[in-house]
Amino acid sequence: MYKEELKTKIDEYLKEYFLNKGSYNKTIYDSMGYSVNVGGKRIRPILMMLTYKMYKNECMSILPMACAIEMIHTYSLIHDDLPAMDNDDLRRGKPTNHKVFGEAVAILAGDSLLNEAMNVMFDYAVEHNKAETVKAAKLISNAAGAEGMIGGQIVDILGEGKEMTLDELKYMHKNKTGALIKAAILAGAVLGGASEDDIRKLDEFGEKLGLAFQIKDDILDVVGDEKKLGKKVHVDAEHDKNNYITFYGIDKCKKICSDLTNDCINLLSDIQKDSTELQDLTKFLLMREN
Amino acid sequence: MYKEELKTKIDEYLKEYFLNKGSYNKTIYDSMGYSVNVGGKRIRPILMMLTYKMYKNECMSILPMACAIEMIHTYSLIHDDLPAMDNDDLRRGKPTNHKVFGEAVAILAGDSLLNEAMNVMFDYAVEHNKAETVKAAKLISNAAGAEGMIGGQIVDILGEGKEMTLDELKYMHKNKTGALIKAAILAGAVLGGASEDDIRKLDEFGEKLGLAFQIKDDILDVVGDEKKLGKKVHVDAEHDKNNYITFYGIDKCKKICSDLTNDCINLLSDIQKDSTELQDLTKFLLMREN
């Protein structure tokens, strides 16, 4: 399956990236590398590469841009796990960054991963001097910030122990998880030179896929297997967090998730390119157990 | 004095930037805006603008790029002040971010300021579609990361309570404070279209100015006035931190600082442009009391 080959390439790039770097500052690379290479499905970079591949014959040329988005995702997990945030000891079955390196280093490692992602994107933009490159990087950067991922995180943090409105919950989900997933897809499309019409369809696809992904996460937090997930379950209930399950119950959530997946497949089928691999990935994300 | 006018423009831009933004995520803008607008000398953006102005008739056109570097500087202060880092309650005479908004929001506000700086630079790069813009942004991004500011911070954090070698101390100072100061100058030069020869001189100027700035900070931590500084003094001694004073003593440090300033003035005089304003700023930084 092509997805697995891509994952291997992404894993290799990210492993190599943090090796044998630094001098007196070596610890920061060890700490960044630890969290980036502790595992993960690499969904965001794979989505970017498969979307790009619909428009070009290959997708290895955008590997650095794809890995930059994984660095951003990883930094958000390191900071999310901190004692002042979700206070998690385990992530992907391994001790969280601050459990291994201490809180101060974990804060700096998160900062540094976000910064490194930007370095990679600026490097790529200098190397490939095209307007599309900067546009794609801007999409990713915007999606990670206060009007995207961090916007969702702040609503999540402030909403603990309080009852949210459905609109607030939707805002949180759309941004906390959805924004970066959608940006991965759109960045791949922009880099690949997709038409405006295709970008509109992929925007809707990204929006729905991001939502399905987050609802599936909520479902797994209730019915998932701790060993397969590599992290504790029932975390949302413990932290008294709002999510789709608390609003709709588990059965309705499974239905919403499945309907969204169907919508995604229809949107992809409507694009006059070979979207088989993206469709397979979309179905895989619905069926996943971690 | 022109420097004061620039500071007013920078203050206005940064105040305006975070006003009336956000919906459910409004708290993140309040928290970012609080720390950015709590005061500060705006040295880095002013350095960038004055360097640019040597090559162009004006410098207001790069105001967003200049303010982006101030956002990066501010994020580093918010995270530095966190309980897991320096655990400071006061900054510029006001409660630190986490004292006002709590630790979780302060972590996210720092993340978000770094991210916002990148958004501003990508926006600027999309708007001004030139190779120089992306190169300047890359300089800033690189200087903020693991091979720059964060590299210095990690050495600082890991060095607490341990004796550093002089090389290690130099590495720390060069990167923790110097990297971003030098990048501000070089980004201004690159945006302004400076010659390679000038950029080499400005590189050396930035290196020496950054070092002088940090040594002056170390001096003020020993002999400074807590009220004028707006923060506690004797912090390095309390945290058992290494700095230039512990190595050389205060008198030799004053001499080094003054010599570096003279070198800076000579380097600027050697550039065939009007560097009066940059020279004035360099002298001001030596004489400052906060």
Side-chain angles (χ1 to χ4, degrees):
Chain A
M1 193 186 184
Y2 196 69
K3 176 170 83 61
E4 289 307 317
E5 284 167 43
L6 282 187
K7 185 178 176 307
T8 304
K9 294 289 180 193
I10 293 161
D11 285 343
E12 280 169 6
Y13 179 96
L14 289 170
K15 191 160 188 195
E16 187 73 22
Y17 194 94
F18 299 95
L19 274 185
N20 305 320
K21 274 202 173 164
S23 55
Y24 297 119
N25 59 342
K26 198 181 168 306
T27 304
I28 195 75
Y29 291 107
D30 292 344
S31 176
M32 287 194 272
Y34 172 77
S35 286
V36 166
N37 296 310
V38 86
K41 298 178 287 294
R42 314 300 194 195
I43 297 304
R44 292 155 193 79
I46 293 175
L47 277 170
M48 193 193 296
M49 293 174 86
L50 289 182
T51 307
Y52 180 87
K53 195 161 169 267
M54 288 206 303
Y55 298 92
K56 306 275 180 187
N57 287 327
E58 55 80 41
C59 59
M60 284 305 292
S61 61
I62 62 159
L63 184 60
M65 292 290 284
C67 288
I69 212 169
E70 187 69 9
M71 291 183 196
I72 295 175
H73 173 56
T74 306
Y75 115 76
S76 78
L77 300 181
I78 295 176
H79 281 189
D80 249 5
D81 289 338
L82 286 168
M85 307 277 281
D86 283 353
N87 194 21
D88 278 320
D89 296 349
L90 278 183
R91 167 75 68 180
R92 291 165 180 160
K94 298 273 167 59
T96 46
N97 196 292
H98 65 272
K99 282 282 156 190
V100 179
F101 294 91
E103 260 186 84
V105 175
I107 292 169
L108 290 174
D111 294 346
S112 201
L113 271 174
L114 170 58
N115 202 124
E116 203 62 40
M118 302 300 174
N119 287 351
V120 169
M121 293 200 290
F122 281 122
D123 279 349
Y124 193 89
V126 167
E127 204 183 321
H128 305 79
N129 187 14
K130 285 189 216 156
E132 290 80 39
T133 318
V134 184
K135 272 184 202 158
K138 179 183 143 119
L139 273 172
I140 294 167
S141 181
N142 286 353
E147 287 304 308
M149 185 176 72
I150 297 175
Q153 281 172 318
I154 196 96
V155 172
D156 190 15
I157 288 287
L158 297 175
E160 276 188 30
K162 285 183 209 153
E163 209 168 299
M164 278 187 196
T165 63
L166 184 57
D167 276 350
E168 213 170 345
L169 177 70
K170 280 184 178 168
Y171 174 93
M172 178 180 93
H173 271 21
K174 180 180 157 173
N175 286 292
K176 195 183 165 191
T177 321
L180 212 55
I181 287 179
K182 187 163 94 172
I185 294 160
L186 291 180
V190 167
L191 289 167
S195 69
E196 278 192 30
D197 192 44
D198 279 11
I199 286 180
R200 253 191 311 276
K201 285 170 192 161
L202 288 167
D203 188 290
E204 203 180 335
F205 163 65
E207 184 102 12
K208 285 176 188 277
L209 187 71
L211 185 55
F213 188 88
Q214 178 61 53
I215 298 176
K216 179 77 191 191
D217 258 5
D218 291 350
I219 294 172
L220 287 171
D221 185 51
V222 177
V223 304
D225 181 316
E226 206 154 301
K227 268 199 192 139
K228 282 183 187 158
L229 283 168
K231 63 182 179 184
K232 284 203 302 184
V233 292
H234 310 307
V235 172
D236 280 358
E238 239 173 62
H239 284 258
D240 201 7
K241 284 197 180 191
N242 295 271
N243 65 29
Y244 264 64
I245 316 284
T246 55
F247 259 90
Y248 290 118
I250 194 124
D251 289 334
K252 175 126 193 236
C253 280
K254 285 182 180 171
K255 173 79 166 63
I256 297 175
C257 214
S258 156
D259 288 349
L260 283 168
T261 303
N262 286 335
D263 290 352
C264 284
I265 302 294
N266 288 336
L267 281 159
L268 288 176
S269 307
D270 204 26
I271 294 174
Q272 304 305 312
K273 301 277 172 192
D274 181 4
S275 62
T276 319
E277 286 170 337
L278 265 187
Q279 292 191 33
D280 287 347
L281 182 60
T282 303
K283 289 175 203 157
F284 163 82
L285 289 178
L286 177 72
M287 306 306 295
R288 72 197 163 96
E289 292 183 335
N290 69 19
Chain B
M1 194 183 181
Y2 195 69
K3 177 169 83 58
E4 289 308 316
E5 283 167 45
L6 282 187
K7 186 178 174 309
T8 304
K9 294 290 180 193
I10 293 160
D11 285 343
E12 281 170 5
Y13 179 96
L14 288 170
K15 190 158 188 198
E16 186 73 21
Y17 194 94
F18 298 96
L19 275 184
N20 305 319
K21 273 200 172 164
S23 54
Y24 297 118
N25 60 341
K26 197 180 169 304
T27 304
I28 195 76
Y29 290 107
D30 292 345
S31 175
M32 288 194 270
Y34 172 77
S35 286
V36 166
N37 295 310
V38 86
K41 298 179 286 296
R42 315 301 195 194
I43 297 304
R44 292 154 192 80
I46 292 174
L47 278 169
M48 193 193 295
M49 293 174 87
L50 289 182
T51 309
Y52 180 86
K53 194 160 168 266
M54 289 207 300
Y55 298 92
K56 304 277 179 184
N57 287 326
E58 55 80 41
C59 60
M60 285 304 293
S61 61
I62 63 158
L63 184 61
M65 292 291 282
C67 289
I69 212 169
E70 187 70 10
M71 290 182 196
I72 295 175
H73 173 56
T74 306
Y75 115 76
S76 77
L77 300 181
I78 295 176
H79 281 189
D80 250 6
D81 289 338
L82 285 169
M85 307 278 280
D86 284 353
N87 195 21
D88 278 319
D89 296 349
L90 277 184
R91 168 73 69 180
R92 292 167 178 156
K94 298 273 168 63
T96 45
N97 196 292
H98 65 273
K99 281 282 158 187
V100 179
F101 294 93
E103 262 185 82
V105 175
I107 293 168
L108 290 175
D111 295 346
S112 200
L113 270 174
L114 170 58
N115 202 123
E116 202 63 41
M118 303 298 176
N119 287 350
V120 169
M121 295 200 289
F122 281 123
D123 278 349
Y124 194 88
V126 167
E127 203 183 320
H128 305 78
N129 187 15
K130 286 188 215 157
E132 291 80 38
T133 318
V134 185
K135 273 184 200 158
K138 178 184 144 117
L139 274 172
I140 295 167
S141 180
N142 286 354
E147 286 303 308
M149 185 176 73
I150 296 175
Q153 283 173 316
I154 195 96
V155 172
D156 189 16
I157 288 288
L158 296 175
E160 277 188 29
K162 286 183 209 153
E163 210 170 298
M164 279 188 196
T165 63
L166 184 57
D167 276 350
E168 213 170 343
L169 177 70
K170 280 184 179 168
Y171 174 93
M172 178 180 93
H173 271 21
K174 182 179 154 172
N175 287 292
K176 195 184 164 191
T177 323
L180 212 55
I181 286 179
K182 187 163 95 171
I185 295 161
L186 291 180
V190 168
L191 290 167
S195 69
E196 277 192 30
D197 192 44
D198 280 9
I199 286 179
R200 254 192 309 277
K201 286 170 192 161
L202 288 167
D203 188 288
E204 205 180 335
F205 162 66
E207 185 101 13
K208 284 176 188 276
L209 187 71
L211 186 54
F213 188 88
Q214 178 61 54
I215 297 176
K216 179 77 190 190
D217 258 5
D218 290 351
I219 294 172
L220 288 172
D221 185 50
V222 176
V223 303
D225 181 317
E226 205 155 302
K227 267 199 192 139
K228 283 182 186 158
L229 283 168
K231 63 181 179 185
K232 284 204 300 182
V233 292
H234 310 306
V235 171
D236 280 359
E238 240 173 60
H239 285 257
D240 201 6
K241 284 198 180 191
N242 296 270
N243 65 31
Y244 265 65
I245 316 283
T246 55
F247 259 89
Y248 290 118
I250 195 126
D251 289 334
K252 176 129 192 231
C253 280
K254 283 182 182 172
K255 174 78 167 64
I256 297 175
C257 213
S258 157
D259 288 349
L260 283 167
T261 302
N262 286 336
D263 291 352
C264 284
I265 302 293
N266 289 335
L267 281 159
L268 288 177
S269 306
D270 205 25
I271 294 174
Q272 305 304 313
K273 299 279 172 190
D274 180 4
S275 62
T276 320
E277 286 170 337
L278 263 187
Q279 293 192 32
D280 288 348
L281 182 61
T282 302
K283 290 174 202 158
F284 162 82
L285 290 178
L286 177 71
M287 308 305 295
R288 71 196 164 96
E289 294 183 331
N290 70 17

